[in-house]
């Protein structure tokens, strides 16, 4: 069915085979091209969003010491035995370090309870003992019962022992669950401040 339109100024265009450029036939495939560009733009935006959220959550880091996944490292830390209770066949834990042994080791204090200001109190305790605390904040959970000092590398065990001693706790574990700091203190309900 052909529709007839009244004659207008566009019918007089003579520079091509089409008469009335506004009534010309659409090229095939234009819808798919627009769809492909929209899909590509959506994919790029989603990818950037996922990367930004991963960086903000701390589950990914560009320093080369990232763990394969946060859930596997968290489960590994839950099953690892604290070095504060060595058995007779296990090697003895290193002696507690001093603030002078800290060097460039970064220390983060995280509040794992609902008590407001607990991380700031612990940070003040560590600072008055001579330790350099990089930052404080809230842990990902608020139901932590026991205070644990986590360290990433075996060479940092003595510094972690010294920090635990300064806080009056004994639990120290090696874990990759906190990739943004060398030593992470997660305060539990047992910490009085």
């Amino acid at each position: 069915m052909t529709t007839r339109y009244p004659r207008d100024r566009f019918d007089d265009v003579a520079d091509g085979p089409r008469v009335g450029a506004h009534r010309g036939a659409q090229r095939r495939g234009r819808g798919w091209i627009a769809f492909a560009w929209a899909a590509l733009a959506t994919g790029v935006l989603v990818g950037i969003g996922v990367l930004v959220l991963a960086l903000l959550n701390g589950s990914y880091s560009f320093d080369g010491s990232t763990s394969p996944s946060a859930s596997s490292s968290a489960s590994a830390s839950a099953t690892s035995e604290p070095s504060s209770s060595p058995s007779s066949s296990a090697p003895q834990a290193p002696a507690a370090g001093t603030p002078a042994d800290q060097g460039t080791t970064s220390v983060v204090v995280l509040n794992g309870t609902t008590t407001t200001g607990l991380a700031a109190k612990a940070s003040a305790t560590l600072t008055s003992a001579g330790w350099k605390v990089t930052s404080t904040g809230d842990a990902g959970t608020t139901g932590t019962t026991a205070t644990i000092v986590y360290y990433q590398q075996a060479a940092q065990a003595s510094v972690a022992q010294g920090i635990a001693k300064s806080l009056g706790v004994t639990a120290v574990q090696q874990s990759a669950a906190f990739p943004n700091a060398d030593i992470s203190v997660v305060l539990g309900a047992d910490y009085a401040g």
Side-chain angles (χ1 to χ4, degrees), residues 9-95:
R9 61 188 169 119
F10 296 105
D11 292 330
D12 296 330
V13 175
D15 61 22
R18 297 186 299 184
V19 175
H22 63 287
R23 295 186 202 137
Q26 291 270 338
R27 287 185 289 168
R28 291 184 59 138
R30 276 184 67 130
W32 288 107
I33 293 171
F35 177 76
W37 279 109
L40 178 66
T42 301
V44 168
L45 290 175
V46 167
I48 290 171
V50 167
L51 181 63
V52 166
L53 286 175
L55 289 173
L56 289 176
N57 287 336
S59 62
Y60 191 78
S61 175
F62 289 110
D63 63 0
S65 64
T66 60
S67 60
S69 71
S71 62
S72 66
S73 63
S75 65
S77 68
T79 60
S80 66
E81 183 177 318
S83 63
S84 63
S85 59
S87 64
S88 60
S89 63
Q92 294 296 321

Side-chain angles (χ1 to χ4, degrees), residues 132-146:
K132 296 179 203 122
V133 177
T134 307
S135 66
T136 61
D138 291 330
T141 180
T142 58
T144 305
T145 56

Side-chain angles (χ1 to χ4, degrees), residues 76-155:
S77 68
T79 60
S80 66
E81 183 177 318
S83 63
S84 63
S85 59
S87 64
S88 60
S89 63
Q92 294 296 321
T98 63
D101 298 334
Q102 182 176 357
T104 60
T105 303
S106 61
V107 178
V108 173
V109 179
L110 302 172
N111 185 357
T113 69
T114 56
T115 306
T116 305
L118 195 60
K121 287 180 184 178
S123 176
T125 301
L126 290 174
T127 303
S128 66
W131 298 100
K132 296 179 203 122
V133 177
T134 307
S135 66
T136 61
D138 291 330
T141 180
T142 58
T144 305
T145 56
T147 300
I148 301 176
V149 179
Y150 295 100
Y151 61 95
Q152 287 199 15
Q153 300 171 2

